[in-house]
Amino acid sequence: MQKIVLNSLLLALAIYLIYWANRSLDNYTLSILNNIGIFAILALSYNLINGVAGQFSLEPNGFVAIGAYMGALFTIPTETKIDMFALVDPAPVVLQMHSGFLPAILIGGATAAIIAAMLSFPVFRVRGDYLAIVTLGFGFIIRIFAMNNPAYTNGAMGLNDIPGNADFIWIGLITIVTFIVMLNVITSRYGRAMKAVRDDEDAAIAMGVNTFAIKTTAFVTSAFFEGVGGALLASFLTTISPDQFTFLLTFQLLIIIVLGGLGSMSGALFATVLVMGGMEWLRFLDDDMNILGYHTGAHPGMRMVVFAILLVIMMLFARKGLFGDKEIGETVRKRFGKKRSLDQQRSGEAL
């Protein structure tokens, strides 16, 4: 009961802070928080398949692109689509796509999940590095499809004038929902089975675990939330193009989940703030600085050099990530539990 009350209070506090931030903070700060929130959704979902289930998948950019294009096409008005598609006329099915913002987000996630379910049959016939190559190829296929089918995606010109409905309230609330869902998944019997597959797939098979079903469940769930994150990203940026969904996007998410700790959802959240926030907060290093009367001059890209050095240092001292495969609650209870047991032991010795 005490745990339920504490979790309810934390949830209420998080929702209050989201509403307060959306009303009180300036647009620049909110844009940073929105970016962090979207990448938190993507990192949490990617951590499920890569960190919890242990499948070295490199597909996030493909599913994010699917969600982004579906979310954009369903929210852009028909008249805007007709004016926007300059290379060829939009396909009839594109003109018929229209819905509200929330249905468009869910459609983007559902489309990614359906494609993931179909993709799981050939993908999970292989393991390890071969799985990475297959899923990496999927991301390239989606990007090439977007570039070479202008009747559906407007080709390399991308989609513009996307309604910017994704404010911090939407993004913050969906981030909370994603975090709660992921925590419930990894603490369920499916989550325990995913960890068994990650630790030793052959042993899991010997114990009667349907590894294909478990990996597919993780893959589809991860793809759904990656699609949702892509739809939010499209609405936040109000413009998308195939060049935004390269392997660099997957690489950024991989850095985040490895830094936070593979399998730790709390670590993914904390690492997203460090990575996405840090790249913005260190932006001053690119500009001319006055250090003790000496002007350093502008050095574009210097922040990325410093940021990379900081990441290397952090990983040297935390080789399993900041949280390992534990959640923040487990870490706090473990540390306080050790301290309490030591205090009790000392009290006993004193008596």
Side-chain angles (χ1 to χ4, degrees):
M1 184 65 181
Q2 184 179 2
K3 184 178 179 180
I4 295 175
V5 172
L6 178 60
N7 290 337
S8 300
L9 290 175
L10 290 175
L11 178 61
L13 176 61
I15 293 174
Y16 170 76
L17 289 175
I18 289 171
Y19 277 90
W20 174 84
N22 193 63
R23 290 173 49 189
S24 305
L25 299 179
D26 59 272
N27 291 334
Y28 174 70
T29 305
L30 280 175
S31 67
I32 296 175
L33 292 178
N34 283 330
N35 197 41
I36 290 174
I38 291 171
F39 270 84
I41 295 169
L42 300 179
L44 289 167
S45 53
Y46 186 37
N47 205 10
L48 182 67
I49 182 65
N50 206 326
V52 179
Q55 305 304 303
F56 188 31
S57 173
L58 298 175
E59 94 302 323
N61 57 319
F63 290 131
V64 174
I66 291 170
Y69 274 98
M70 292 299 292
L73 290 172
F74 270 92
T75 53
I76 297 175
T78 303
E79 297 78 11
T80 305
K81 293 176 187 175
I82 295 174
D83 296 334
M84 184 191 310
F85 281 64
L87 299 175
V88 297
D89 293 332
V93 66
V94 171
L95 295 178
Q96 294 173 3
M97 290 179 173
H98 186 67
S99 70
F101 180 55
L102 181 58
I105 292 175
L106 297 177
I107 290 170
T111 305
I114 292 170
I115 294 176
M118 294 187 296
L119 193 65
S120 62
F121 289 95
V123 162
F124 292 126
R125 293 177 64 88
V126 294
R127 301 183 189 179
D129 297 338
Y130 300 102
L131 175 64
I133 294 171
V134 171
T135 52
L136 177 64
F138 168 72
F140 284 113
I141 290 171
I142 295 299
R143 181 168 174 266
I144 292 171
F145 177 87
M147 293 184 68
N148 295 314
N149 288 272
Y152 296 94
T153 63
N154 204 25
M157 297 179 66
L159 301 176
N160 305 310
D161 298 324
I162 303 170
N165 298 313
D167 59 9
F168 189 56
I169 293 177
W170 276 109
I171 294 173
L173 291 178
I174 294 177
T175 303
I176 291 175
V177 170
T178 306
F179 183 67
I180 293 173
V181 169
M182 292 303 167
L183 282 182
N184 280 276
V185 168
I186 64 177
T187 54
S188 67
R189 66 187 184 91
Y190 294 102
R192 291 191 291 272
M194 290 175 194
K195 293 177 182 177
V197 172
R198 175 193 65 191
D199 294 338
D200 193 329
E201 185 170 348
D202 294 326
I205 293 172
M207 293 298 293
V209 176
N210 187 339
T211 57
F212 174 76
I214 292 299
K215 290 188 286 187
T216 300
T217 300
F219 197 50
V220 171
T221 306
S222 177
F224 174 80
F225 284 99
E226 286 168 359
V228 168
L232 287 173
L233 182 65
S235 180
F236 169 60
L237 296 176
T238 69
T239 179
I240 56 174
S241 68
D243 291 337
Q244 292 172 280
F245 305 106
T246 62
F247 178 69
L248 179 61
L249 175 61
T250 297
F251 187 63
Q252 284 181 297
L253 296 175
L254 191 60
I255 290 174
I256 290 172
I257 65 173
V258 171
L259 176 62
L262 290 173
S264 171
M265 297 301 166
S266 302
L269 274 181
F270 191 71
T272 303
V273 176
L274 286 179
V275 174
M276 305 310 299
M279 287 193 292
E280 287 295 328
W281 295 325
L282 293 175
R283 191 175 290 276
F284 70 92
L285 295 173
D286 293 348
D287 302 327
D288 181 24
M289 292 184 292
N290 187 347
I291 302 177
L292 300 177
Y294 174 74
H295 288 274
T296 60
H299 296 282
M302 180 58 67
R303 67 189 173 108
M304 299 306 298
V305 174
V306 174
F307 184 71
I309 294 173
L310 292 175
L311 283 179
V312 170
I313 293 174
M314 292 176 68
M315 292 307 299
L316 286 175
F317 289 95
R319 297 189 179 184
K320 292 185 178 180
L322 298 174
F323 286 78
D325 60 349
K326 307 296 182 184
E327 301 300 328
I328 187 170
E330 299 176 56
T331 305
V332 171
R333 284 194 298 270
K334 185 177 180 181
R335 291 186 178 181
F336 277 93
K338 281 185 177 181
K339 184 178 179 180
R340 187 178 301 172
S341 61
L342 285 174
D343 290 340
Q344 291 174 350
Q345 184 178 356
R346 289 170 182 171
S347 301
E349 291 176 354
L351 292 174

